[in-house]
Amino acid sequence: MNVLRLLAGLMSGVMVGTPAYGQAPDPRAGDAVELFRAFCLSTGGTPDRALAILGEGNALAKRLPDDIVRQAQGNREGGIGWAVRSPNDAEIMLDYDNRGICGVRIREADEASVQAAFAAIARDLAMKTSKDNAGEFSSRTPEVRDVDGVRITYTAHSFPLGNRQAILALTTAEETVGEQQHFMTFAFVEQAD
């Protein structure tokens, strides 16, 4: 079964009413990053808010079948996800896996716009973290790779959140690869025992 076709079918008519984050030239990028901020960053990556607001499906989003979520999450069991269509027609998948990773997958949007909107969130977070924790926000140099002839860029930031270390990451591609073009994640770093 083609996940993209099923996602596209489930997303038809589903809209999310979130304001775009930043002034990205491609408004789909702002919509997706705002959804990420609202349902991943603002919640510490837990699905409680999504379950309360989005539930099983409503005018904002359509809850995805477990097999679609499992396939998107590398065949890991126990995740949940929603297909969302933004006011600017972005096709987005919000998902939480069973390891505590919150992700937003964007079917298609201008790569530079996604990177700029994501960078704006990272800058805001860095300023807040620096005030609260004496500059403990760190950023990795973006990694650029070629995967099957497509340029993929990975950017990550880590910062303290409470008594844990969190990571905020973005993977973008110059074109759609498989079922998505861009993927944002928020998670806590696993601590070695």
Side-chain angles (χ1 to χ4, degrees):
M1 176 185 292
N2 185 333
V3 175
L4 178 59
R5 284 191 192 119
L6 183 56
L7 281 175
L10 290 172
M11 285 190 224
S12 61
V14 178
M15 301 292 283
V16 64
T18 57
Y21 195 90
Q23 297 298 317
D26 184 342
R28 298 174 300 177
D31 288 355
V33 173
E34 175 59 24
L35 184 85
F36 178 73
R37 185 204 56 76
F39 286 97
C40 293
L41 291 180
S42 295
T43 64
T46 63
D48 300 343
R49 182 175 185 191
L51 287 166
I53 294 173
L54 304 177
E56 290 300 317
N58 57 35
L60 298 176
K62 175 79 172 166
R63 177 88 179 258
L64 293 169
D66 292 341
D67 61 325
I68 297 300
V69 176
R70 183 176 48 253
Q71 184 179 357
Q73 295 178 344
N75 291 319
R76 283 187 302 279
E77 297 284 342
I80 58 172
W82 292 265
V84 179
R85 184 173 298 274
S86 79
N88 291 297
D89 212 27
E91 295 178 27
I92 304 166
M93 178 179 173
L94 168 67
D95 64 275
Y96 301 85
D97 82 2
N98 63 0
R99 299 174 299 167
I101 299 172
C102 179
V104 168
R105 301 162 198 270
I106 308 166
R107 170 71 180 114
E108 183 178 26
D110 174 69
E111 182 179 24
S113 296
V114 172
Q115 290 169 339
F118 189 82
I121 280 184
R123 278 191 306 274
D124 290 351
L125 190 55
M127 288 175 34
K128 181 184 181 326
T129 302
S130 294
K131 287 180 198 171
D132 296 345
N133 298 296
E136 294 181 36
F137 186 91
S138 66
S139 299
R140 292 178 53 182
T141 301
E143 298 174 19
V144 180
R145 290 176 255 150
D146 183 85
V147 177
D148 297 328
V150 178
R151 181 185 36 79
I152 307 289
T153 304
Y154 174 78
T155 305
H157 310 279
S158 62
F159 56 96
L161 188 62
N163 60 356
R164 299 165 71 186
Q165 192 70 13
I167 189 163
L168 176 70
L170 172 67
T171 303
T172 63
E174 58 189 348
E175 62 187 57
T176 302
V177 177
E179 309 297 332
Q180 68 197 31
Q181 186 176 5
H182 314 294
F183 184 36
M184 294 173 266
T185 57
F186 172 86
F188 288 102
V189 177
E190 294 292 323
Q191 302 295 327
D193 291 330

